Amino acid sequence: MKVLVVGKGGREHALCWRFNQSPSVWGVYCTSGSPGINQVAKPVAIAPGDFAGLIGFVREQKIDLTVVGPEEPLANGIVDEFARAGLTIFGPTRAAAQLESSKSFAKTVMREAGVPTAAFAIFDDAEAARRHVDAIARPCVVKADGLAYGKGVTVCDDAVQARAAIGEAMDARRFGAAGARIVIEDRLAGEELSFFALCDGDEAIALGCAQDHKAVFDGDRGPNTGGMGAYSPVPGYGAEFESRVMDEVVRPTLAAMRARGVPFRGVLFVGLMVDGDRINVLEYNVRFGDPECEPLMMRFEGDLGEALLAIAEGRARDAAVRLAPRPAVAVVLASGGYPGEYRIGLPIAGLERIDGAAPSDAKVRWAMERTRVKVFHAGTALAGTTLVTDGGRVLTVTAMADGLERAIAAAYEAAGLIEFEGMHLRRDVGRRALGRDAADR
Ligand code: AMP
Ligand code: GLY
């Protein structure tokens, strides 16, 4: 089959790379490609938002399956348009994508489904919201309803901070229309985990857990980013935990969506807060996480093309989904200054030492023999023949090995071979899980 991937970041590179290794897939296309993606897929110069252009391309090239990486085209109804045109696409409809694009919708579905989540209230009026935070007088979280690229959530200690957050979202409209409505919920404590399930509307297949590192600096300090690193699986959250999340969260959510007449198809990415035995849902996303997708794709065994086609066609039962038990770790190499201002166009050195590793290089040989290492491109471009930086997150160095400690070591060893001016990375990706990994074994 021929597959089109929509998007062009590290997540989409990982998807293209895995599709390229699928026995059933003989053509991989990607809009709009990157120097890394172009090694495993044919670039397509159509914007992810140009649905008519994409539909034309898919018809002309007889693409069998389209897979969407980012949330924006999903929230804007790319799946509805493809379905209307009779084309097969993996992802939720616009109405179902509200699980991510509207926090009030998501919370309402959680309540209908009986999914455990923080107590909440929804406001369209700033004054009423302010009265509410004064009245509850406990730590809360203020969330802009719409898509705000991870910036619309403010975790507050007290009513003073909550009032400020309400003002930013509703009065100053810092997140535009996304902040016209807000959700205020109780602040929860615990361990944050990402859980992924592939859903066909009726049934779901667990992909298991990953853990993201959202803050820019080590020890979870500094502003939040799109994600500075991730690893999967998460020690201590194995099969038993997975089946609990499937029973308490994923299946009830799918049932509630069906009951609303908006069955959910695609990747359900559940943001969890776990505190001892208590599992609470913080949010839903309707796509793969980035960088969580990179370790998941490295662990994915079997034919990704057949699996996602089966799910897109409502036949999850036929999808052979298996993840290698070996852990994979992704370390993001970011531009200096990210998530604030940063420069682009800076030459990147050292990639060839990993991808086309010279056998004489002992360090690289070690990495290649003992582990799998793959560098996914998140934001790169070519300036002539030179690979240069072209985004806040530049590369995602991903490694899989026999244990978490080895995978971490290999990812950092490979990352150490890469250089560009101002390069920033977290040094502690996966470190917190290491103690637990040892305890599990
Ligand atoms: P969200 O986009 O809803 O996942 O929120 C972004 C981040 O805010 C999460 O990754 C959490 O770190 C934090 N957060 C969201 N909701 C809560 C909550 N109820 N309690 C504590 N932290 C939260
Ligand atoms: N890494 C978090 C996300 O993709 O939303």
Side-chain angles (χ1 to χ4, degrees):
M1 72 177 91
K2 286 162 92 174
V3 178
L4 171 68
V5 173
V6 176
K8 60 168 187 167
R11 164 180 53 204
E12 290 78 17
H13 187 183
L15 289 167
C16 288
W17 172 77
R18 190 43 92 197
F19 277 129
N20 193 46
Q21 297 169 4
S22 298
S24 71
V25 175
W26 50 271
V28 186
Y29 298 79
C30 182
T31 157
S32 49
S34 73
I37 289 173
N38 298 354
Q39 293 170 6
V40 288
K42 292 195 185 75
V44 180
I46 303 173
D50 177 4
F51 300 162
L54 289 174
I55 286 170
F57 176 82
V58 163
R59 282 200 172 126
E60 188 188 294
Q61 291 292 325
K62 301 192 165 45
I63 302 281
D64 301 282
L65 173 68
T66 298
V67 176
V68 185
E71 60 271 29
E72 204 170 2
L74 295 168
N76 290 334
I78 188 172
V79 169
D80 309 60
E81 297 283 326
F82 269 60
R84 221 168 285 143
L87 301 171
T88 306
I89 185 164
F90 177 84
T93 59
R94 179 189 195 126
Q98 288 179 94
L99 282 182
E100 175 166 0
S101 66
S102 166
K103 295 210 183 270
S104 58
F105 178 88
K107 293 292 283 195
T108 307
V109 170
M110 288 178 216
R111 184 156 55 195
E112 284 168 13
V115 164
T117 189
F120 68 100
I122 298 167
F123 296 94
D124 294 305
D125 174 60
E127 249 334 287
R130 281 189 272 267
R131 281 197 299 275
H132 174 75
V133 295
D134 288 342
I136 60 171
R138 58 177 180 266
C140 68
V141 181
V142 177
K143 301 184 173 186
D145 188 58
L147 288 181
Y149 304 97
K151 298 189 174 72
V153 173
T154 313
V155 179
C156 308
D157 292 329
D158 52 34
V160 176
Q161 287 177 8
R163 281 175 155 267
I166 293 163
E168 290 272 301
M170 301 192 91
D171 301 330
R173 287 294 165 93
R174 202 173 135 219
F175 317 110
R181 168 176 288 182
I182 59 170
V183 172
I184 298 179
E185 65 182 38
D186 283 357
R187 179 169 157 183
L188 303 173
E191 172 116 356
E192 269 190 79
L193 291 173
S194 306
F195 185 88
F196 295 87
L198 301 173
C199 308
D200 78 352
D202 294 311
E203 290 177 42
I205 304 171
L207 286 179
C209 290
Q211 201 157 36
D212 191 8
H213 295 61
K214 286 200 173 107
V216 70
F217 299 125
D218 287 9
D220 294 330
R221 287 175 303 111
N224 271 359
T225 67
M228 292 296 295
Y231 63 95
S232 167
V234 182
Y237 298 92
E240 203 178 310
F241 179 80
E242 221 168 82
S243 71
R244 248 193 91 187
V245 178
M246 292 297 281
D247 289 343
E248 293 176 25
V249 178
V250 175
R251 291 193 186 98
T253 301
L254 291 190
M257 292 294 280
R258 265 197 320 270
R260 278 178 165 255
V262 280
F264 183 88
R265 275 191 188 167
V267 183
L268 188 63
F269 161 177
V270 188
L272 296 169
M273 186 74 96
V274 184
D275 186 10
D277 267 353
R278 273 197 304 270
I279 298 177
N280 272 292
V281 174
L282 293 181
E283 63 162 350
Y284 297 115
N285 295 297
V286 300
R287 52 177 172 83
F288 283 110
D290 194 351
E292 292 96 322
C293 186
E294 286 90 316
L296 286 176
M297 283 304 115
M298 190 159 253
R299 293 179 57 218
F300 193 93
E301 290 181 337
D303 191 317
L304 184 66
E306 274 191 350
L308 296 193
L309 180 67
I311 290 161
E313 292 178 343
R315 302 180 285 110
R317 231 169 269 251
D318 299 337
V321 172
R322 214 183 87 81
L323 295 189
R326 298 204 303 162
V329 175
V331 176
V332 171
L333 308 185
S335 296
Y338 172 77
E341 275 180 34
Y342 54 83
R343 284 168 65 196
I344 58 169
L346 302 169
I348 302 168
L351 257 190
E352 68 291 344
R353 299 182 67 196
I354 301 162
D355 275 353
S360 60
D361 190 326
K363 263 189 175 175
V364 177
R365 205 169 54 228
W366 179 85
M368 290 194 56
E369 283 168 6
R370 309 282 279 266
T371 65
R372 296 190 68 174
V373 176
K374 177 72 197 165
V375 181
F376 297 110
H377 292 229
T380 66
L382 283 176
T385 56
T386 308
L387 187 72
V388 298
T389 64
D390 195 38
R393 293 190 290 180
V394 177
L395 296 165
T396 312
V397 181
T398 309
M400 182 166 76
D402 284 336
L404 186 58
E405 193 165 3
R406 282 191 182 172
I408 292 171
Y412 279 107
E413 183 129 12
L417 300 172
I418 301 172
E419 282 174 86
F420 55 86
E421 195 188 321
M423 180 174 112
H424 168 69
L425 68 163
R426 273 184 67 158
R427 295 275 169 198
D428 62 348
V429 173
R431 191 182 291 162
R432 208 150 35 104
L434 270 185
R436 268 200 315 244
D437 192 36
D440 276 4
R441 274 179 285 146

